[in-house]
Amino acid sequence: GTADACVSALDQLALLGVARCDAASLTLSASADRARGRWFAGDRSGEWLAVRLPETRLLRGTAPPSVDFALPAEVTAGGGGGGCGAVRWRAERWVLAPATGLVNMQQGLVNVCYQNALVQALAMTAPLRTRLLSAPLPPREAEEARPLAALQQLLARLAASQQGRATTHALQPLVRALFQPGRQQDASEFRAFLADRLAQALPLVGEASALSDAFGGQLATLLRCASCGARSARLEAVTELSLPFPSRFTPVLDVRAIVAPRQLGAQPDAVPPAGYERLNHDLNKDRADAPYVYLCLRRRASAGVSELPVTDLLVLTAERGAVPPARDGFERVEVDLNCNRSPASTSGKQVFLLLARDPQGSPVTDIRVTYAEEPLPDGYRKVPTNLSEGSASPAVYLCYRRDMPVRDVRVRPVGVPGYGFLDTSLTVP
């Protein structure tokens, strides 16, 4: 066929070879659904085999690992019609490789695992992969289109390559300004970078909505008035969600208490200290004669400061007007957790929280507040002293958990210092 016919057919072929080269020869079958040729790049050359995939289910990840294909036609010299010579078909089993991975720590690619992880995740996102592989190649002269062209090449290799591995060399010049070679980087930052570059390039190939269609969603903010029951909803288009990391295994480094005046019909002005998170449980709940009292936790260490985490909690009480209680090995939080509106009030007892920081102890990883007869959360220990001691309001308790992972297990007939002892026989009768 003509060169124009070759170019038109190439737009519909999944090429199994290099994406760009210095020169190439390509011969199409009579039906223009198979091709064979050679590519030349510098002093290297290789064979090109291509087959048109009529259905996306034939791509890797969407079909069983073994698929029967017909190899491209062997075009003999002379004779025949249709402008392609006499055609002799040769049918063979063409089995896709089980998987194609991306290279790291070889071929000059050092610490690119964060890139590989994201590219492979995108390759397994069928809606986006289909859109990108179906789109035409972007114009070569468009600088903003280079990341899209490189990603299309990688996705094609991961989807249909017969080789067990592929490289991301084409990506490296495009990301070097922000992601220095050889250094470990954040995969989420790389995702944001790549999404920004693709958003600029996709309109050039008519796929401006590919990212939002694949990853877009709506964030709903729902509000309900506690007085009249009126509801409102606000929808916002988003392509990512920020989720807080769970606090499990994160030690509590400090605890403080804050007090805010209670005003009828107004929200409490209880701002936690810098670096602290507020527990949204008022220790003076349902007490109109008392201010708001909240506990605040700090989990992040101060810059350049080594701190021991909190390892135990203790609640002590004292009569009004008495000296605040103390205990050896504990430090006191200097706020009365059972304080009244007026300092002169004699209602209830003083209640203080004390913290221990034992270097050999297990760190406290979370603190919660429970009211009255609420059940104890699973895995938590309850501090048995009522924080509203001596007042008519419902009981308030603190509970906490030590949730550090098990680092070692030993089997001994007796206890070992520094180890918890499970008093259960391992001998089976």
Side-chain angles (χ1 to χ4, degrees):
T2 65
D4 289 342
C6 289
V7 173
S8 175
L10 282 175
D11 287 339
Q12 308 175 55
L13 295 175
L15 296 181
L16 309 181
V18 296
R20 296 182 182 178
C21 52
D22 299 332
S25 63
L26 191 66
T27 304
L28 301 181
S29 67
S31 58
D33 61 351
R34 298 173 179 85
R36 161 174 263 166
R38 295 194 66 82
W39 58 266
F40 306 89
D43 59 352
R44 299 181 298 120
S45 66
E47 188 176 26
W48 237 344
L49 297 176
V51 60
R52 181 180 180 183
L53 302 179
E55 300 181 49
T56 57
R57 66 179 179 83
L58 298 180
L59 291 173
R60 175 179 289 113
T62 59
S66 295
V67 182
D68 285 334
F69 288 94
L71 285 175
E74 289 186 344
V75 181
T76 60
C84 288
V87 176
R88 177 170 58 86
W89 297 98
R90 181 180 66 187
E92 293 184 4
R93 175 176 291 272
W94 192 355
V95 180
L96 291 175
T100 296
L102 294 175
V103 172
N104 184 36
M105 307 305 291
Q106 295 180 17
Q107 303 184 36
L109 297 169
V110 180
N111 287 338
V112 295
C113 49
Y114 68 98
Q115 299 179 21
N116 295 351
L118 179 67
V119 170
Q120 290 175 117
L122 295 179
M124 297 305 295
T125 306
L128 180 65
R129 180 190 63 206
T130 301
R131 295 278 289 271
L132 294 185
L133 290 180
S134 300
L137 289 174
R140 292 192 178 188
E141 64 275 7
E143 182 69 20
E144 65 272 22
R146 294 176 61 197
L148 174 59
L151 187 59
Q152 285 178 310
Q153 174 186 341
L154 279 173
L155 294 181
R157 285 176 176 270
L158 292 175
S161 175
Q162 293 296 291
Q163 297 181 344
R165 60 182 182 176
T167 65
T168 57
H169 286 120
L171 269 182
Q172 304 315 311
L174 310 178
V175 305
R176 189 167 293 137
L178 294 178
F179 301 91
Q180 297 184 20
R183 294 189 178 183
Q184 295 184 356
Q185 305 285 353
D186 190 322
S188 64
E189 293 181 1
F190 180 64
R191 184 212 61 80
F193 164 83
L194 194 59
D196 180 66
R197 297 301 186 272
L198 290 178
Q200 300 176 34
L202 287 170
L204 300 177
V205 295
E207 291 289 353
S209 64
L211 286 178
S212 59
D213 289 348
F215 301 115
Q218 287 186 316
L219 179 65
T221 302
L222 307 177
L223 298 176
R224 183 179 67 86
C225 177
S227 299
C228 66
R231 298 173 180 267
S232 67
R234 180 170 59 88
L235 298 179
E236 178 183 1
V238 296
T239 55
E240 62 181 34
L241 289 175
S242 297
L243 300 177
F245 283 101
S247 59
R248 190 175 183 183
F249 304 141
T250 306
V252 174
L253 298 179
D254 195 23
V255 181
R256 291 189 184 180
I258 56 176
V259 180
R262 188 181 302 270
Q263 298 178 0
L264 185 62
Q267 292 295 320
D269 183 17
V271 180
Y276 287 73
E277 58 184 271
R278 194 185 81 182
L279 301 182
N280 291 320
H281 294 81
D282 177 20
L283 303 185
N284 277 340
K285 180 183 178 183
D286 299 332
R287 291 179 59 182
D289 64 334
Y292 294 101
V293 179
Y294 294 97
L295 292 180
C296 301
L297 312 182
R298 179 166 61 83
R299 302 179 185 274
R300 181 175 299 179
S302 303
V305 178
S306 178
E307 299 181 69
L308 289 175
V310 175
T311 57
D312 201 2
L313 304 181
L314 179 65
V315 175
L316 296 180
T317 64
E319 298 296 333
R320 294 289 171 188
V323 176
R327 179 71 60 85
D328 289 342
F330 287 79
E331 59 188 68
R332 186 174 58 238
V333 177
E334 297 295 345
V335 172
D336 178 8
L337 304 184
N338 194 27
C339 60
N340 297 313
R341 182 183 299 273
S342 171
S345 174
T346 59
S347 173
K349 294 184 177 181
Q350 299 181 87
V351 177
F352 290 90
L353 174 63
L354 288 82
L355 313 175
R357 303 177 187 273
D358 183 358
Q360 304 301 322
S362 296
V364 171
T365 56
D366 196 23
I367 300 175
R368 292 191 183 182
V369 177
T370 60
Y371 299 113
E373 300 302 323
E374 288 183 5
L376 184 67
D378 185 39
Y380 284 75
R381 300 182 181 185
K382 183 177 181 179
V383 180
T385 305
N386 179 10
L387 301 186
S388 58
E389 184 77 25
S391 69
S393 58
V396 182
Y397 296 97
L398 291 181
C399 54
Y400 63 97
R401 73 182 300 165
R402 298 189 182 105
D403 204 8
M404 296 302 288
V406 174
R407 300 177 181 176
D408 190 22
V409 176
R410 296 187 181 184
V411 178
R412 295 288 188 272
V414 295
V416 178
Y419 286 73
F421 186 66
L422 302 179
D423 190 14
T424 302
S425 174
L426 300 182
T427 303
V428 178

